[in-house]
Amino acid sequence: EAGVTQSPTHLIKTRGQQATLRCSPISGHTSVYWYQQALGLGLQFLLWYDEGEERNRGNFPPRFSGRQFPNYSSELNVNALELEDSALYLCASGRRRNEQFFGPGTRLTVL
Amino acid sequence: GENVEQHPSTLSVQEGDSAVIKCTYSDSASNYFPWYKQELGKRPQLIIDIRSNVGEKKDQRIAVTLNKTAKHFSLHITETQPEDSAVYFCAASRSNNAGNMLTFGGGTRLMVKP
């Protein structure tokens, strides 16, 4: 069974630009969760998508958004990038109330 | 919202010794408690989890215990090996059909000395 995949591995942007990160869940999983892992910090919940809809979001500003496609893959968009957005962005997939399995992450660097 | 605290932040043990990492949570409605292991530069890997209807769960050298009354849960690793060296994260959530958003502790860096 293929695991969760994410692309790109690394992304370098400048302040004010937009970043798009992608996630493909494990086959059969309908939920995608996005988390931010800033350097030296734990993981912070960002967004949850299930069955094509945004179901919940964490304590992040609206410039963090995304969507989920009919094949359950997901995209995270970060607009008006700020220096403090530099972090590892992890997605995890699962089935609603069950275990979550993480992808390898996208390292976003904002210069 | 939920708040999870994790201790210690760093833990150094000798190979073969046991390691214990403790977490406390604030939301009494939380019912799902996973533990993840993250090696340097790699993804968090689910190593064990427990739901609120059980008090203890074991899987070979690792075990998790849960005290719902005190709102704390712990990870126990016995006979530690150098490959156990990693950062361990605990998490808690209200797992139901409305989702399973995890709130993580701050992590414990475990170093196992050969």
Side-chain angles (χ1 to χ4, degrees):
Chain A
E1 178 183 86
V4 179
T5 60
Q6 290 186 245
S7 64
T9 304
H10 296 93
L11 193 54
I12 300 175
K13 295 285 186 179
T14 56
R15 283 179 61 188
Q17 286 189 313
Q18 181 205 31
T20 298
L21 291 64
R22 296 179 178 84
C23 172
S24 291
I26 291 169
S27 177
H29 287 182
T30 61
S31 282
V32 171
Y33 300 83
W34 287 95
Y35 294 88
Q36 182 195 66
Q37 186 174 30
L39 193 62
L41 299 177
L43 291 87
Q44 304 288 325
F45 166 68
L46 258 169
L47 289 158
W48 170 43
Y49 292 94
D50 184 74
E51 298 284 358
E53 301 283 334
E54 180 182 309
R55 303 292 183 178
N56 209 331
R57 66 182 296 128
N59 189 25
F60 282 84
R63 57 192 186 81
F64 287 85
S65 66
R67 53 182 170 164
Q68 187 177 34
F69 300 97
N71 65 354
Y72 303 116
S73 66
S74 177
E75 199 172 83
L76 174 68
N77 296 297
V78 188
N79 294 319
L81 285 165
E82 300 179 2
L83 295 178
E84 51 265 35
D85 296 334
S86 294
L88 180 68
Y89 289 84
L90 292 156
C91 80
S93 78
R95 294 188 184 93
R96 286 246 170 168
R97 68 183 299 272
N98 292 330
E99 305 88 343
Q100 293 180 32
F101 299 93
F102 282 87
T106 293
R107 173 75 60 189
L108 173 63
T109 302
V110 183
L111 302 175
Chain B
E2 174 68 278
N3 182 51
V4 177
E5 295 193 358
Q6 183 171 347
H7 299 281
S9 57
T10 60
L11 179 59
S12 182
V13 300
Q14 209 64 39
E15 182 178 359
D17 287 350
S18 295
V20 180
I21 302 170
K22 299 181 179 181
C23 290
T24 59
Y25 61 98
S26 61
D27 185 355
S28 56
S30 286
N31 59 5
Y32 176 65
F33 307 92
W35 287 87
Y36 287 86
K37 173 185 180 182
Q38 188 174 29
E39 296 176 74
L40 191 62
K42 296 195 174 179
R43 71 187 75 191
Q45 179 188 4
L46 178 66
I47 56 172
I48 195 167
D49 57 9
I50 191 168
R51 294 190 184 270
S52 59
N53 57 346
V54 298
E56 184 175 4
K57 185 176 179 180
K58 287 183 181 179
D59 183 3
Q60 298 181 3
R61 295 187 296 109
I62 60 173
V64 58
T65 59
L66 171 65
N67 183 326
K68 285 192 298 182
T69 303
K71 290 192 281 188
H72 67 70
F73 56 112
S74 300
L75 178 70
H76 304 253
I77 305 174
T78 59
E79 300 172 18
T80 54
Q81 300 167 4
E83 51 265 39
D84 294 330
S85 297
V87 179
Y88 291 80
F89 291 97
C90 64
S93 77
R94 293 187 186 190
S95 174
N96 52 41
N97 284 333
N100 191 15
M101 285 71 66
L102 299 174
T103 300
F104 284 86
T108 296
R109 182 173 301 278
L110 174 64
M111 293 170 284
V112 180
K113 301 177 192 174

